[in-house]
Amino acid sequence: IYTRSLPLVFFFFNTSCNNKSKRYIYDQIARAAVIFNVNEIIIFDETGSLDRSVEGDYQGVGKKGHANVQMARILQYLECPQYLRKSFFPQHKDLQYAGILNPLDSPHHMRADDNCQYREGVVLDKPVKTGKGSFANYSLQNKEVQIDKHLQPGIRVTVKLSDQDPEKKKWKGIVVSPSTPQKEAGLYWGYNVRLASSLGAVFTECPYKSGYDLTVGTSEKGSSIDTFTTLDGYQHALVVFGGVKGLEASLDADEALNVDDPSLLFQHYLNTCPSQGSRTIRTEEAILITLSSLRPQLHKNSPQES
């Protein structure tokens, strides 16, 4: 069983498209992340002015950081299973057109007839007997499962069902880590979204104790991927995409980084589309090009679970 930890990192702020167009681009990015089993999407601001939460409102093109907040909210919305979205995403203008975006159709987005031991659920505000665990809704049919812990209502949980007898009115299950379905059953289980205030914060705020042990920067100034043949084994890989002005602009805006060449931040600095016919490659295009090119090496060298 292969388990992959491939954080996908990029800066994205397009001032030339309207709100509806941006939402479609965000949808393309989310789809690419799911197709290539990306576990983490990190959005960083090359100006160093990013809001650190998604509690703010997108107030129009030109408002620093707000487009990134909008993007984070939409990416989180798309990752959330459809039957849980009403519980976690109240009406918001950033999500105005989210309903017409393409579904991710990943394993944790259960269909009505799916039979899987793992489910995403929301803890219900429902009384339980002393010493018993809470109830959670885990399906499109509003079915309930009693979990092994008493948790605060409204929390999203990953549940491993211990009993799936269709004759029983209520099933039982245990709360597990969101990484458990991937580790135990090889099921891709969605991505997390993280906001970083700068390029440097992408590295310093890494959620993994050992950090990212494989780092790849992408740039037209990098080495051609056509000559790239060796990729070491890894636990947590990081692939970084720059903005319109490239990673050079992000580096210039980050006063905490004491290097003058972005290639020094990465183990590999690659041009993943040499001899391109267009002057520019859009972020959503670069993601598909890069991950398609790296996929054979990433898959071959990904960590294995016995």
Side-chain angles (χ1 to χ4, degrees):
I1 297 174
Y2 287 93
T3 63
R4 297 173 213 154
S5 177
L6 172 60
L8 167 63
V9 186
F10 55 90
F11 162 82
F12 182 80
F13 184 68
N14 190 330
T15 59
S16 62
C17 57
N18 58 36
N19 284 344
K20 195 170 183 179
S21 297
K22 280 204 291 288
R23 286 168 174 81
Y24 182 70
I25 293 170
Y26 302 160
D27 173 53
Q28 290 180 295
I29 292 171
R31 288 278 304 167
V34 170
I35 288 170
F36 288 98
N37 297 276
V38 169
N39 299 132
E40 182 185 18
I41 299 178
I42 309 164
I43 306 168
F44 72 92
D45 195 314
E46 66 177 2
T47 67
S49 61
L50 179 65
D51 294 334
R52 287 183 173 271
S53 76
V54 293
E55 298 305 318
D57 295 328
Y58 176 68
Q59 298 177 4
V61 169
K63 301 294 183 180
K64 291 183 178 180
H66 288 294
N68 297 314
V69 171
Q70 181 194 54
M71 181 182 186
R73 181 179 283 110
I74 292 176
L75 290 177
Q76 288 177 329
Y77 176 87
L78 290 172
E79 187 278 335
C80 184
Q82 291 91 329
Y83 59 90
L84 296 180
R85 287 174 180 170
K86 287 185 178 180
S87 299
F88 297 108
F89 295 91
Q91 287 188 345
H92 193 283
K93 60 183 178 182
D94 284 353
L95 303 174
Q96 182 179 359
Y97 299 105
I100 64 174
L101 298 179
N102 295 315
L104 300 188
D105 203 23
S106 56
H108 68 304
H109 286 208
M110 297 295 170
R111 299 171 181 172
D113 57 349
D114 280 348
N115 183 20
C116 181
Q117 188 177 20
Y118 301 95
R119 302 292 176 102
E120 287 295 286
V122 57
V123 178
L124 300 174
D125 187 7
K126 187 174 180 177
V128 294
K129 295 180 180 179
T130 303
K132 297 291 185 178
S134 302
F135 289 96
N137 171 30
Y138 67 91
S139 76
L140 291 167
Q141 292 82 20
N142 292 320
K143 289 186 177 180
E144 297 178 4
V145 58
Q146 188 165 29
I147 55 180
D148 60 327
K149 301 179 185 299
H150 189 272
L151 300 175
Q152 180 180 344
I155 293 177
R156 177 175 167 177
V157 290
T158 303
V159 178
K160 182 177 181 180
L161 298 175
S162 55
D163 183 2
Q164 300 187 63
D165 185 350
E167 300 299 323
K168 291 186 176 180
K169 184 177 180 180
K170 294 178 181 178
W171 291 355
K172 294 184 180 296
I174 60 174
V175 177
V176 297
S177 166
S179 63
T180 299
Q182 192 171 25
K183 290 179 179 179
E184 294 188 354
L187 294 171
Y188 173 71
W189 213 249
Y191 55 76
N192 292 320
V193 179
R194 174 161 70 93
L195 291 167
S197 59
S198 65
L199 177 58
V202 170
F203 299 91
T204 59
E205 297 173 3
C206 173
Y208 308 108
K209 291 183 179 180
S210 58
Y212 302 115
D213 54 351
L214 172 62
T215 56
V216 179
T218 61
S219 171
E220 62 179 7
K221 299 179 182 178
S223 302
S224 173
I225 197 169
D226 294 341
T227 60
F228 178 70
T229 57
T230 303
L231 187 66
D232 296 331
Y234 66 92
Q235 291 294 320
H236 306 293
L238 178 73
V239 182
V240 182
F241 299 86
V244 176
K245 297 180 181 179
L247 290 172
E248 290 77 10
S250 303
L251 181 60
D252 290 341
D254 193 338
E255 298 179 357
L257 293 175
N258 297 319
V259 295
D260 54 9
D261 185 344
S263 66
L264 299 176
L265 298 173
F266 306 96
Q267 293 169 299
H268 306 282
Y269 200 58
L270 301 176
N271 179 354
T272 58
C273 190
S275 305
Q276 63 192 60
S278 174
R279 294 185 182 90
T280 58
I281 296 179
R282 300 173 65 89
T283 302
E284 67 274 18
E285 297 167 340
I287 292 171
L288 289 171
I289 293 168
T290 300
L291 295 186
S292 294
S293 300
L294 292 176
R295 193 203 66 81
Q297 289 283 349
L298 290 170
H299 181 78
K300 182 173 66 174
N301 293 281
S302 61
Q304 297 187 26
E305 296 285 337
S306 59

